[in-house]
Amino acid sequence: MTTLNELLTLSLEDHTEEIIAEYIWIGGSGSDLRSKARTLPKPVTDPKLLPKWNYDGSSTGQAPGADSEVILYPQAIFRDPFRRGNNILVICDAYTPAGVPIPTNKRAAAAEIFSKKEVSEEVPWYGLEQEYTLLQKDVKWPLGWPVGGYPGPQGPYYCGTGADKAWGRDVVNAHYKACLYAGIQISGINGEVMPGQWEFQVGPATGIAAADQLWAARYILERITEIAGVVLSLDPKPIEGDWNGAGCHTNYSTKSMREEGGYEVIKKAIEKLGLRHKEHIASYGEGNERRLTGKHETADMNTFSWGVANRGASVRVGRDTEKEGKGYFEDRRPSSNMDPYVVCGMIAYTTLLWKPEEAK
Amino acid sequence: MGAGYPAEQRRVSSSCLESRQYLKAEPVVAVARPADELYLKTRPALLSTHSRIDAASVSSSSTKMAAASISVSKAAVTAQLAPSSHVSKASSLKTLPLSAGQASGFGVSGFFSNKNELRSTVSAVKSFTPRQGGVFKIVALAQKAEYIWMDGQEGQKGIRFNEMRSKTKVLQRPIRAGSLDFPQWSFDGSSTGQAEGKFSDCILNPVFTCPDPIRGENHVLVLCEVLNPDSTPHETNTRRKIQDILSPDVLAEETLFGFEQEYTMFNKACKVYGWPEGGFPHPQGPFYCGVGLEAVYGRPLVEAHMDACIKAGLKISGINAEVMPGQWEFQIGPAGPLEVGDHVMLARWLLHRLGEDFGITCTFEPKPMEGDWNGAGAHTNYSTKTMREEGGIKAIHAAIEKLSKKHAEHISQYGLGNERRLTGKHETANINTFKSGVADRGASIRIPLGVSLEGKGYLEDRRPAANVDPYVVSRMLIQTTLKN
């Protein structure tokens, strides 16, 4: 008798040229991922060659029922680690039938920023450190935590091993390999300070590609937690009290910062970020105020500060960068549920396009 | 269980149950737990129409033992026919749904799997067939005297074991509770670490007696001091040492003590009672004097213990839930130097004894949980006649001054493991520091605010650990403040 597993692992490419394309987009909350699949006649590697599609926006809070079609524009292709073969995942953004980006489509504005000459010639690189928490399915309490109670205080869990310290490693490792398979530039993983919390890093990738890849990685992660029977939480402060929050520190550099004398460029860029702290913070993720308290390796939400190797600052510069006089810096303010299109676009805008004199 | 009890669970005094058994011709059938053998536990004094917890012990006793335990005192036998309502209800008595109990007896949380079952009567009946037409052998009137003593090793046997020992003497001619006419007895000191095997008959000398609140009727608790086989006071006999210093001038000062006994509840798995399995509860804050399912762990035992102390006539002056969940406190006093020790020891015995039925071990370990969790102390309030009179604050300050000079000596006797508790955090003063202050809970000696305002009253020595010997505390406070 055929098992489900045999059907799931059927190899299509031996028998047909058809492939399955999973179209993925961001839903009405700005952080929920949606997807549906379609058959394409032949393998495709260039997103520009993929057909546009549409979905029912009234079921995702993105369109009224009377005029519910939202158009999907394919933007990035990744290999599908779940279906494998020639099947693909497609990151899309959403437009009205008239071709206008819908309000929750933050990619369009970011794409515009990255297409500007001043930005594209500086080749901005992003390294995104995505922290996340795994929760038990029905009680929504962190994985490994006793229900109705708490584990021992933080200390032993950061990069820890052992059944009493590391909870959920299989999900993390499966995700790592799946992302590498998919073609995402995932650069590492580690266990975080709060037990049940983990981190993976995407990058360094150029411009908007970093954001596309982070969304694809989030999608793959949520599909894997679905299989594992746990819940993915991108909440910036899942547990109140003496427990770390979850962020998405964004490492950033431009061509000038990576060349000789780049440290001065870095300092100027950080200065500009400091002048626009309020605007950035407002767009760096929902609920971030619960996380940015000044404790638990964060800087207070209302204060902009920076320092070398300072994890209590808004922006941290690595010791290597300071020593070599060039490199990159880390914006530690974004929360785990931030939208990378928004954050990456804003950092590029503020450091490369924004002129403080014009603002005054 | 939960809010409201099933109608079948009657809060019936067990003496009524006993009488019912004698009156019924048919066997009484166990309903809910055919696999276990439960026998009726007689605890009439603890029960009233507003029932207290009455726990059944699970045991694999034989019919004979069960029948023997149903041997009743005269009062029960001659109990008049219970009101018919009792009889009919009793006959429909069910055992409690102790399915959570199974092999371990009462489950992880000890008594019920829901730790906050409010009050429940466990009336368990065992199935048996009546002998020869239902005539039972009746034990003649006899008094049970529980002889209680200490083996002097509090804190030396690990976190779970206490220093209390006891055995029961059946007296054919009852003696009034309160009198000291109870005969001396002896025990095998080599089995309690108090004597060598070759000369092991230690003597139990009654020093204080009171009614037995658990067995009720006219049964008694007999607190004893331990003497060597040659009748000299045993080296663990700290009570006798107080008598040496009670000279007329000390007696004239009418010293009074209030002993605040804190303790921590542990379950059978040696984890703090009520704590979530494999983890910790919410950080401290909401538990001190808390109310509510989420804030209170173990109230039924605390209530039963308080009732038992009251019924025994002990000078228990209050209870409260402590800062750490699963930790509680009861206070004994105000009482004289010997009295406070006697009452504290019996209260401790009752706490351990009732814990057996609730599946809870109470420990006086001063720091049962490392980390950001409070320890357990035995703050001792102390006053002399002079301190209580007008201008007594001067005597209080003078006493504190004397205590400050003997800090190390007191600390050395104030309980094993106290150094883990007196850290300077969690409302303690550092063990190496002597500090006093008004309303200062970070001090070694605290002067209550009211005392400071009125200029007279008492002082609170916050240094003793929960496992301190109360006779030692009272003796040392008198010695340092009145005899130097």
Side-chain angles (χ1 to χ4, degrees):
Chain A
M1 199 193 74
T2 312
T3 62
L4 272 178
N5 202 50
E6 287 174 2
L7 292 172
L8 282 169
T9 51
L10 270 178
S11 168
L12 292 178
E13 63 260 32
D14 296 341
H15 307 283
T16 172
E17 268 208 305
E18 287 176 318
I19 64 157
I20 303 172
E22 188 86 28
Y23 278 53
I24 301 165
W25 73 97
I26 301 163
S29 76
S31 57
D32 59 310
L33 280 162
R34 308 278 181 156
S35 71
K36 53 177 181 157
R38 68 185 298 181
T39 312
L40 296 174
K42 291 217 304 260
V44 182
T45 47
D46 182 357
K48 292 192 196 46
L49 301 178
L50 283 169
K52 293 193 174 68
W53 206 9
N54 63 76
Y55 68 93
D56 171 14
S58 70
S59 290
T60 60
Q62 291 169 302
D67 182 14
S68 63
E69 269 184 29
V70 178
I71 315 300
L72 290 170
Y73 288 29
Q75 300 290 0
I77 289 181
F78 299 95
R79 281 185 294 277
D80 186 338
F82 305 101
R83 296 193 177 106
R84 300 182 286 280
N86 291 318
N87 305 300
I88 55 175
L89 303 176
V90 184
I91 297 291
C92 310
D93 59 347
Y95 295 77
T96 66
V100 176
I102 65 172
T104 53
N105 179 350
K106 308 298 181 191
R107 190 185 190 279
E112 222 192 282
I113 292 173
F114 286 111
S115 67
K116 294 249 185 329
K117 191 164 77 72
E118 297 98 321
V119 175
S120 62
E121 69 187 11
E122 277 287 353
V123 192
W125 283 4
Y126 294 91
L128 303 167
E129 306 173 29
Q130 176 73 67
E131 293 175 351
Y132 61 93
T133 315
L134 297 173
L135 305 177
Q136 301 172 47
K137 186 160 84 95
D138 296 314
V139 294
K140 298 284 169 60
W141 198 236
L143 182 66
W145 291 36
V147 178
Y150 298 80
Q154 294 183 151
Y157 309 109
Y158 172 71
C159 302
T161 61
D164 50 342
K165 286 161 275 177
W167 303 324
R169 195 189 292 278
D170 277 356
V171 166
V172 185
N173 278 332
H175 177 250
Y176 200 169
K177 284 194 172 174
C179 286
L180 285 170
Y181 176 93
I184 294 169
Q185 288 165 270
I186 182 168
S187 45
I189 57 160
N190 63 270
E192 270 299 326
V193 177
M194 180 176 116
Q197 209 170 69
W198 296 84
E199 171 182 313
F200 66 89
Q201 305 101 34
V202 169
T206 306
I208 207 162
D212 288 335
Q213 289 183 23
L214 185 64
W215 276 114
R218 286 177 175 180
Y219 176 79
I220 291 174
L221 181 58
E222 189 144 44
R223 285 285 304 272
I224 290 175
T225 57
E226 183 188 304
I227 296 167
V230 296
V231 170
L232 171 68
S233 170
L234 294 180
D235 188 278
K237 191 77 173 180
I239 306 291
E240 287 299 325
D242 196 8
W243 304 100
N244 272 31
C248 194
H249 307 152
T250 303
N251 300 281
Y252 173 70
S253 68
T254 61
K255 196 145 150 287
S256 316
M257 294 178 195
R258 298 189 286 271
E259 289 165 351
E260 286 306 313
Y263 194 39
E264 295 307 312
V265 183
I266 289 174
K267 285 203 267 199
K268 281 212 185 61
I270 294 177
E271 218 178 281
K272 286 171 100 177
L273 284 175
L275 294 171
R276 286 197 86 213
H277 177 68
K278 274 207 173 55
E279 289 86 339
H280 277 243
I281 273 287
S283 302
Y284 270 13
E286 278 291 319
N288 213 3
E289 64 281 358
R290 289 180 280 125
R291 165 183 160 258
L292 294 179
T293 56
K295 298 204 286 192
H296 300 114
E297 297 158 289
T298 67
D300 178 72
M301 181 136 175
N302 302 311
T303 321
F304 182 86
S305 59
W306 75 276
V308 176
N310 185 352
R311 277 180 162 77
S314 318
V315 169
R316 169 179 147 269
V317 174
R319 287 223 181 273
D320 287 346
T321 300
E322 186 197 32
K323 203 157 65 115
E324 293 172 29
K326 58 180 176 172
Y328 65 97
F329 66 84
E330 176 194 30
D331 188 345
R332 294 176 63 79
R333 298 170 291 172
S335 66
S336 45
N337 58 358
M338 65 89 152
D339 186 335
Y341 296 127
V342 171
V343 173
C344 296
M346 272 190 101
I347 293 177
Y349 174 80
T350 302
T351 57
L352 297 170
L353 295 174
W354 181 63
K355 296 187 173 31
E357 319 81 62
E358 284 169 17
K360 291 204 174 74
Chain B
M1 293 280 298
Y5 314 125
E8 294 82 356
Q9 276 160 352
R10 285 304 108 188
R11 294 175 259 175
V12 172
S13 84
S14 62
S15 58
C16 290
L17 285 169
E18 289 153 1
S19 63
R20 176 190 56 73
Q21 293 197 36
Y22 283 91
L23 297 166
K24 273 172 75 74
E26 316 82 51
V28 180
V29 179
V31 178
R33 298 192 60 178
D36 295 280
E37 296 184 63
L38 304 166
Y39 62 90
L40 198 62
K41 195 107 183 163
T42 62
R43 201 165 302 111
L46 255 192
L47 300 171
S48 63
T49 47
H50 307 287
S51 161
R52 305 293 169 208
I53 312 292
D54 181 19
S57 290
V58 177
S59 105
S60 54
S61 54
S62 63
T63 308
K64 191 170 113 187
M65 190 176 146
S69 73
I70 297 173
S71 76
V72 290
S73 57
K74 179 177 176 188
V77 170
T78 58
Q80 299 314 304
L81 281 173
S84 57
S85 63
H86 278 173
V87 174
S88 59
K89 282 165 189 170
S91 61
S92 69
L93 251 151
K94 264 199 225 174
T95 53
L96 271 182
L98 285 175
S99 53
Q102 303 309 336
S104 66
F106 291 101
V108 170
S109 65
F111 193 59
F112 296 109
S113 53
N114 177 353
K115 61 174 162 65
N116 273 335
E117 305 291 348
L118 241 196
R119 281 155 346 154
S120 358
T121 305
V122 179
S123 303
V125 285
K126 185 187 148 21
S127 69
F128 57 82
T129 52
R131 287 180 250 164
Q132 295 177 329
V135 176
F136 292 91
K137 202 158 189 250
I138 297 166
V139 175
L141 171 65
Q143 182 188 43
K144 300 179 221 177
E146 190 75 16
Y147 277 59
I148 299 168
W149 75 99
M150 293 77 71
D151 64 22
Q153 290 156 51
E154 185 67 51
Q156 296 175 32
K157 306 187 214 171
I159 203 170
R160 278 185 299 160
F161 291 94
N162 59 77
E163 67 171 341
M164 311 301 302
R165 305 274 182 168
S166 68
K167 51 177 182 160
T168 316
K169 189 186 244 307
V170 178
L171 299 166
Q172 295 301 330
R173 284 223 189 81
I175 303 172
R176 185 185 55 82
S179 109
L180 288 181
D181 291 339
F182 289 84
Q184 284 190 340
W185 207 8
S186 64
F187 71 95
D188 172 13
S190 71
S191 289
T192 62
Q194 288 172 293
E196 299 290 313
K198 52 186 191 291
F199 198 47
S200 61
D201 285 9
C202 292
I203 297 168
L204 293 172
N205 185 36
V207 293
F208 173 69
T209 67
C210 67
D212 184 336
I214 297 178
R215 291 182 175 134
E217 312 295 342
N218 62 346
H219 307 302
V220 288
L221 302 178
V222 178
L223 182 68
C224 305
E225 61 169 353
V226 176
L227 308 176
N228 291 314
D230 64 1
S231 291
T232 55
H234 192 270
E235 59 175 358
T236 62
N237 186 345
T238 49
R239 189 181 192 275
R240 192 63 80 89
K241 296 190 179 124
I242 297 181
Q243 287 166 328
D244 299 338
I245 63 162
L246 292 181
S247 51
D249 55 316
V250 169
L251 291 169
E253 276 291 0
E254 292 172 22
T255 55
L256 285 180
F257 298 84
F259 194 84
E260 302 172 30
Q261 177 73 71
E262 291 177 352
Y263 61 93
T264 314
M265 293 184 177
F266 274 74
N267 62 23
K268 285 192 192 169
C270 207
K271 300 271 180 269
V272 180
Y273 183 78
W275 284 30
E277 175 124 12
F280 297 81
H282 189 278
Q284 294 184 153
F287 303 106
Y288 172 72
C289 300
V291 162
L293 177 68
E294 61 287 350
V296 177
Y297 304 172
R299 197 190 289 278
L301 169 58
V302 180
E303 292 280 328
H305 175 253
M306 176 171 62
D307 288 349
C309 290
I310 294 172
K311 283 190 151 92
L314 301 179
K315 285 189 174 175
I316 182 165
S317 46
I319 59 161
N320 63 268
E322 269 300 326
V323 175
M324 179 175 119
Q327 212 168 68
W328 292 84
E329 171 182 312
F330 64 87
Q331 304 103 32
I332 298 282
L338 285 167
E339 205 182 9
V340 72
D342 294 342
H343 289 218
V344 167
M345 285 308 184
L346 283 181
R348 286 180 174 181
W349 184 88
L350 284 167
L351 185 63
H352 298 310
R353 174 67 190 80
L354 287 169
E356 289 174 17
D357 299 329
F358 285 77
I360 296 174
T361 301
C362 293
T363 180
F364 302 126
E365 163 65 34
K367 191 77 175 180
M369 293 304 300
E370 286 300 327
D372 197 6
W373 304 103
N374 272 32
H379 308 150
T380 305
N381 303 283
Y382 169 58
S383 68
T384 61
K385 192 143 161 287
T386 316
M387 291 181 196
R388 296 189 289 269
E389 285 167 353
E390 283 304 313
I393 191 81
K394 277 176 53 190
I396 293 175
H397 286 308
I400 293 176
E401 182 64 31
K402 290 186 179 163
L403 286 167
S404 71
K405 298 195 170 67
K406 294 277 185 180
H407 179 66
E409 202 181 302
H410 278 244
I411 283 289
S412 72
Q413 304 272 308
Y414 269 5
L416 287 172
N418 213 3
E419 65 280 359
R420 294 193 291 276
R421 165 183 161 257
L422 294 179
T423 56
K425 298 203 287 195
H426 300 114
E427 297 158 291
T428 68
N430 186 286
I431 195 167
N432 299 312
T433 314
F434 182 91
K435 193 158 96 107
S436 73
V438 176
D440 183 1
R441 278 182 163 77
S444 321
I445 309 275
R446 165 179 152 267
I447 300 171
L449 184 61
V451 168
S452 170
L453 293 173
E454 285 180 42
K456 59 179 176 168
Y458 63 98
L459 59 84
E460 178 194 32
D461 190 347
R462 294 177 63 79
R463 299 170 294 174
N467 59 0
V468 75
D469 183 330
Y471 298 119
V472 167
V473 180
S474 55
R475 179 176 57 78
M476 290 191 88
L477 284 170
I478 292 174
Q479 178 75 40
T480 301
T481 60
L482 293 178
K483 301 216 71 104
N484 281 343

